[in-house]
Amino acid sequence: MKSLSFHFRKTFSKDVFYCLGLVFWVLIVTVGTQYVITYAMLWLLGRTRLTEPLWTTVTTAMVYLASALIIILLPRFGQKLKFSRKELGLSGLLTYTDIGIAILGYILVIITAGFILTLLTNLRLIDATEAQALNYQNLTNGAERVIAYIGLAIIAPIAEEIVFRGWLYGKLRQKIHLLPAILLTSILFGFLHGQWNVGITVGILSIVNCLERELTGTIYAGILTHMIQNSLAFALLILRGLL
């Protein structure tokens, strides 16, 4: 009995450290890649900050691509790089069920996030109206808006879902139960967005998208929910610029 209890504690400890290591790995690579690529682009362009939608989108795409490749592939360096689509939540094809679940998921996100943000604002703990720091302000023409939309509402949702709800959440679920896996993924995702109001909203988005993966077995519904969220946020950004 003692040996069985000791084995359980030892296995549990290994799983906890493994999961925390995964979270730390994603945190370090995501932040590090952001800084390295952004400053490299600024140096190449001879700028102090990126303001043009084209270069902002190019930089964003490079950051997401580099982060995903490093996060997913580097731990397998020197091993046979065999990845199944199922492992990343990309098995099969998008279905009508995924679309329906994505829409319902977004409704759940806005209701839950709206309630929590209103409550915290009334308690004067956060400012729910604080604008997110983006390099897409003052878009002047249609071409710039299309480029900005590609960066915010297409590239970002696909890349972030593959890394966070695909790779990270999938790895965590192999070792720990549903609730801690969702919380670890979502807290990290919210933290990486910096601001309290934005972090809470995307944290709730992450919780819903994790549940969507559990329900469907893929991340397609999560990608669509994320795209809807970012598309509407982009529309508000455009409207604010026009008013």
Side-chain angles (χ1 to χ4, degrees), residues 8 17 66-67 87 103-104 109 133 145 157 161 176 191 201 208 217 222 231:
F8 173 79
F17 282 115
S67 296
E87 186 177 356
I103 294 170
L104 292 175
V109 170
R145 289 169 186 164
E161 291 307 316
I176 55 178
F191 174 78
T201 300
V208 171
S231 294

Side-chain angles (χ1 to χ4, degrees), residues 61-72:
M62 291 174 62
V63 168
Y64 282 127
L65 178 61
S67 296
L69 290 175
I70 294 170
I71 288 168
I72 296 171

Side-chain angles (χ1 to χ4, degrees), residues 3-53:
S3 61
L4 183 62
S5 175
F6 174 76
H7 175 72
F8 173 79
R9 288 197 302 271
K10 184 178 179 181
T11 302
F12 177 77
S13 298
K14 284 175 64 178
D15 289 346
V16 169
F17 282 115
Y18 172 80
C19 292
L20 291 177
L22 289 177
V23 171
F24 186 71
W25 169 245
V26 173
L27 172 64
I28 292 299
V29 172
T30 303
V31 174
T33 305
Q34 174 76 42
Y35 277 99
V36 170
I37 292 180
T38 299
Y39 282 112
M41 286 295 292
L42 289 173
W43 179 75
L44 288 171
L45 296 171
R47 312 282 174 79
T48 57
R49 63 186 293 251
L50 293 171
T51 55
E52 302 89 345

Side-chain angles (χ1 to χ4, degrees), residues 74-235:
L74 192 58
R76 292 195 172 209
F77 182 75
Q79 304 176 24
K80 290 183 179 180
L81 297 176
K82 290 183 179 180
F83 274 96
S84 66
R85 292 174 61 189
K86 184 177 181 181
E87 186 177 356
L88 296 176
L90 294 170
S91 58
L93 297 172
L94 178 70
T95 66
Y96 288 114
T97 301
D98 292 324
I99 296 172
I101 290 174
I103 294 170
L104 292 175
Y106 176 69
I107 293 171
L108 180 59
V109 170
I110 58 172
I111 291 174
T112 307
F115 173 78
I116 293 175
L117 289 174
T118 300
L119 177 62
L120 294 177
T121 300
N122 290 337
L123 293 173
R124 298 183 179 179
L125 296 175
I126 66 168
D127 178 10
T129 63
E130 182 183 3
Q132 186 175 5
L134 296 170
N135 291 328
Y136 291 115
Q137 284 77 13
N138 303 317
L139 300 171
T140 58
N141 57 60
E144 287 187 344
R145 289 169 186 164
V146 170
I147 292 169
Y149 179 81
I150 291 171
L152 283 172
I154 297 178
I155 295 175
I158 293 174
E160 289 180 337
E161 291 307 316
I162 289 174
V163 170
F164 287 92
R165 265 64 62 183
W167 186 83
L168 178 60
Y169 180 71
K171 290 286 187 185
L172 292 175
R173 281 294 281 133
Q174 292 175 7
K175 296 292 183 179
I176 55 178
H177 293 295
L178 176 69
L179 183 58
I182 289 177
L183 289 177
L184 280 173
T185 302
S186 302
I187 290 171
L188 174 62
F189 192 61
F191 174 78
L192 287 172
H193 282 76
Q195 299 169 210
W196 275 106
N197 59 333
V198 177
I200 289 170
T201 300
V202 300
I204 293 168
L205 172 69
S206 176
I207 292 171
V208 171
N209 287 357
C210 288
L211 292 173
E212 288 175 347
R213 176 168 185 182
E214 287 289 327
L215 188 61
T216 65
T218 68
I219 62 171
Y220 296 129
I223 290 173
L224 286 178
T225 301
H226 202 151
M227 284 183 171
I228 295 170
Q229 167 83 12
N230 285 18
S231 294
L232 293 178
F234 180 78

